[in-house]
Amino acid sequence: MTFNSWEFILFYPIVLLLYFVLPKAAKWPMLLLASYFFYMCYQPELVFLILGTTLVSWAMSNVIEKSEKTRYKKLALALTLISSLGVLFFYKYFDFLSGTVFDIAAHFGYKGNSFALKLMLPVGISFYTFQTLSYVIDVYRGEVKTEKNFFFYALFVSFFPQLVAGPIERPGNLIPQLKEEHKWSNSNAIAGAKMLILGFFKKICVADLLSGVVNSVYNNPEEASAIGVIIATVLFAVQIYCDFSGYTDIAIGCARIMGIRLMKNFDRPYSSASIKEFWSRWHISLSAWFRDYLYIPLGGNRVKKWRNLLNLFVVFLISGLWHGAAWTFVLWGALHGIYQIVGKLTIKPRNNLIQKLGKSENSKSVLIIRRAITFILVDAAWLLFRANSIGDAGILIKRLFVGWNVGFAEAFQDMGLSLEFILLAIFSLVILFFLDKIITYDTLDGNPDATLKNGAFVYFVWAIVIVWCLLLSKDMISTFIYFQF
Amino acid sequence: MVFYTNPWACIIFALILALHAASAFLKPIFSKLCVYVNICLHIALFVLLLFIGAEMLELAVLFMGSLAFYISVSYLSKKLCERLSDREDKS
């Protein structure tokens, strides 16, 4: 049951109705049941995994809080880390590691068969594992008190809007809100409905619409032209943003109608003027998680310069691996790590250059150039992220140098782009550009109506319905990209 | 695309764009009226296009085009108003 499915369109209003009709004592058990039902619609056989992870992390957090000896606290924390990350490794990375080991052995003459478990990847495992880890670590640090009621804690882990693709919530933000009694509020309902509409618009009218073009190039790299690769990679940057931020908007909207505020996960990432800024605007909950639970414990920027650079690289390498068990993701993470290192090392010469040109660091022209460069760097890295394999990524990069024998018109034809489709893509990009300026997470509580009249959202619903019908007729409805992580 | 072969479809689409522009600059009460009239025009255009045999892709292009025009005009009018009020404040 994905957000863009008929099942969810039936499921959500029922949950909402029950949530506001039931008495306070019955609200959260209903939400817990609904969340587990939501999860079991994906993979009923793997529900024991989320249940087990929840149980272990809850029990260990209680041990940490109750024990007086630091040794026991450390032991409980270590057990949680080993069990949670162990399950994650087993399901997500075992085949990748065994395949890599086999490839290396084969390189040295070993002629056996590779050993792969070929297990189904549990939906949202990376998200809920990180959420439970943040809870146990916060309890260990004394920043959060343990939740005495196991079922309440289970709701924090499995709360259905953010269960399968985040935002990765912190206990301090979500648990108190789940305990409060929320009554129907028109302002929450309007704000939530707007986020829902925006999320669906991003997913259906932009991401799904562009996915066909992107797939046509990335699934046939050998036949791609240089222009085709460039267009597909730029469109993929838009597709993945709309796909993931669209999911987040729907999650935030669903929770908001119930009166629960999930954290911000995106903040116009492509308007960033540096890679560092990009990571403070893209998948904010994951970046913050890595900062608080990996980068700072590794020493952050309180260590020597070379160590700090190494820490940065390690964090981004692991972030790449978090996204998927494939070398494309590892290289993508490593490339972002290198961007950060080069960015840090070249701050002074870059500032000197700007001063020599007689410009200020924040002048408009400098900002435009910095934004353009940042987008190009991020987009170049997306090529690795989207490529089906390292081999395909190599072919696509090669095509960028040798595939210039095809003109724009021919490239468009090869990608199956008709005039109508090009117009549709241009319109959706224009809408997205202005939409991101008008309605953001931060302006949701303000008065966005000053720019967009309430009735105007009917236009959006209209556009969503029509494009949805179009995609359905062409069998182009797809699941969310981040579900695979 | 078949929409431009039907004069009524062209007139309705032009009206839709004109009302979008008007709703962005008019006072709230008139603006709201424009929005409601425009929603009716969208429905009329939708029915007409289905009647003359337009494909779903063409419908999507027109409705997304209308939305793109609406949102860009809304944003530009907001910016314009901000600039004018800034100028008034300064003077």
Side-chain angles (χ1 to χ4, degrees), chain A residues 67-141:
Chain A
S67 45
E68 286 169 4
K69 287 185 179 172
T70 318
R71 200 160 35 129
Y72 292 137
K73 285 178 191 275
K74 280 187 176 170
L75 188 68
L77 179 65
L79 277 174
T80 315
L81 291 173
I82 290 166
S83 63
S84 297
L85 295 176
V87 170
L88 184 64
F89 172 82
F90 185 70
Y91 276 91
K92 194 167 175 180
Y93 302 105
F94 184 84
D95 286 359
F96 171 62
L97 190 76
S98 76
T100 306
V101 169
F102 173 76
D103 285 345
I104 293 168
H107 190 72
F108 288 102
Y110 173 71
K111 284 179 184 166
N113 288 328
S114 68
F115 179 70
L117 296 168
K118 289 182 182 163
L119 293 170
M120 189 197 292
L121 182 68
V123 171
I125 188 167
S126 306
F127 289 93
Y128 68 70
T129 300
F130 271 37
Q131 195 154 311
T132 53
L133 286 182
S134 71
Y135 173 79
V136 179
I137 296 169
D138 282 358
V139 169
Y140 176 79
R141 288 172 175 173

Side-chain angles (χ1 to χ4, degrees), chain A residues 201 205 418 420-421 423-424 427-428 430-431 434-435 437-438 451-453 455-456 458-460 462-463 466-467 469-470, chain B residues 1 20 23-24 31 34-36 38-39 42-43 46 56-57 59-61 63-65 67-68 70-72 74-75 78:
Chain A
F201 179 82
C205 297
S418 60
E420 286 94 338
F421 194 89
L423 281 173
L424 208 52
F427 289 149
S428 59
V430 168
I431 297 166
F434 287 112
L435 207 56
K437 284 178 178 286
I438 294 169
T451 314
L452 283 186
K453 318 288 179 291
V458 175
Y459 300 144
F460 280 95
W462 197 251
I466 290 177
V467 178
C469 292
L470 170 72
Chain B
M1 289 180 101
H20 275 328
S23 73
S31 159
C34 284
V35 169
Y36 291 133
N38 223 344
I39 289 166
H42 276 80
I43 296 168
F46 183 77
M56 204 44 108
L57 182 60
L59 285 171
V61 171
F63 281 82
M64 290 286 275
L67 189 55
Y70 169 73
I71 201 162
S72 42
S74 299
Y75 182 74
K78 181 194 165 198

Side-chain angles (χ1 to χ4, degrees), chain A residues 151-303:
Chain A
F151 296 104
F152 227 115
Y153 174 67
L155 176 59
F156 158 69
V157 178
S158 65
F159 184 49
F160 75 88
Q162 46 86 240
L163 172 59
V164 287
I168 303 167
E169 277 293 337
R170 298 299 175 84
N173 179 43
L174 190 54
I175 292 178
Q177 291 194 69
L178 292 173
K179 285 184 174 175
E180 279 172 29
E181 186 178 13
H182 300 280
K183 290 197 171 150
W184 175 265
S185 132
N186 282 344
S187 62
N188 276 338
I190 290 171
K194 282 179 182 171
M195 282 309 261
L196 275 176
I197 291 171
L198 291 185
F200 278 115
F201 179 82
K202 282 181 183 172
K203 169 65 180 158
I204 292 166
C205 297
V206 188
D208 282 354
L209 208 61
L210 300 179
S211 68
V213 186
V214 175
N215 293 345
S216 72
V217 171
Y218 275 85
N219 292 342
N220 302 298
E222 304 221 351
E223 290 162 24
S225 62
I227 293 170
V229 175
I230 292 169
I231 292 172
T233 309
V234 170
L235 291 184
F236 179 68
V238 181
Q239 185 203 344
I240 193 164
Y241 168 62
C242 287
D243 192 283
F244 193 20
S245 76
Y247 177 92
T248 305
D249 288 346
I250 297 170
I252 290 172
C254 284
R256 184 61 182 273
I257 295 174
M258 291 190 266
I260 295 163
R261 289 165 191 249
L262 298 181
M263 68 183 289
K264 181 161 78 172
N265 217 15
F266 288 91
D267 187 11
R268 294 192 288 146
Y270 294 136
S271 64
S272 308
S274 68
I275 296 291
K276 188 182 171 190
E277 191 186 342
F278 174 79
W279 280 105
S280 66
R281 289 169 175 268
W282 177 274
H283 203 172
I284 297 167
S285 61
L286 181 72
S287 304
W289 197 99
F290 275 117
R291 182 196 63 212
D292 295 344
Y293 301 111
L294 188 62
Y295 179 67
I296 292 174
L298 281 173
N301 51 11
R302 294 160 291 143
V303 289

Side-chain angles (χ1 to χ4, degrees), chain A residues 304-369:
Chain A
K304 284 181 181 170
K305 196 175 179 181
W306 69 266
R307 178 68 200 275
N308 175 236
L309 298 178
L310 182 70
N311 288 349
L312 268 176
F313 187 74
V314 168
V315 168
F316 277 94
L317 200 67
I318 293 174
S319 161
L321 203 57
W322 178 90
H323 281 84
W327 284 110
T328 46
F329 295 115
V330 177
L331 279 183
W332 171 77
L335 190 57
H336 271 280
I338 292 167
Y339 285 163
Q340 294 270 7
I341 291 170
V342 174
K344 273 210 162 191
L345 292 175
T346 57
I347 283 179
K348 272 189 183 174
R350 277 188 287 137
N351 287 343
N352 288 343
L353 183 70
I354 291 167
Q355 275 178 354
K356 271 184 190 171
L357 291 170
K359 300 270 181 189
S360 112
E361 206 183 318
N362 296 321
S363 69
K364 226 171 190 178
S365 54
V366 172
L367 211 60
I368 288 170
I369 293 169

Side-chain angles (χ1 to χ4, degrees), chain B:
Chain B
M1 289 180 101
V2 293
F3 110 93
Y4 54 78
T5 60
N6 185 304
W8 285 109
C10 294
I11 290 168
I12 294 175
F13 192 65
L15 260 175
I16 284 174
L17 297 186
L19 281 175
H20 275 328
S23 73
F25 290 99
L26 288 175
K27 283 182 179 175
I29 184 152
F30 296 116
S31 159
K32 217 165 201 176
L33 192 70
C34 284
V35 169
Y36 291 133
V37 173
N38 223 344
I39 289 166
C40 296
L41 284 177
H42 276 80
I43 296 168
L45 182 64
F46 183 77
V47 174
L48 181 65
L49 286 172
L50 283 181
F51 191 69
I52 61 171
E55 283 181 19
M56 204 44 108
L57 182 60
E58 190 173 341
L59 285 171
V61 171
L62 287 176
F63 281 82
M64 290 286 275
S66 148
L67 189 55
F69 183 77
Y70 169 73
I71 201 162
S72 42
V73 167
S74 299
Y75 182 74
L76 293 175
S77 79
K78 181 194 165 198
K79 283 279 154 191
L80 198 69
C81 291
E82 277 175 7
R83 261 191 204 176
L84 286 174
S85 68
D86 280 355
R87 205 174 284 175
E88 272 176 23
D89 288 346
K90 276 179 191 169
S91 65

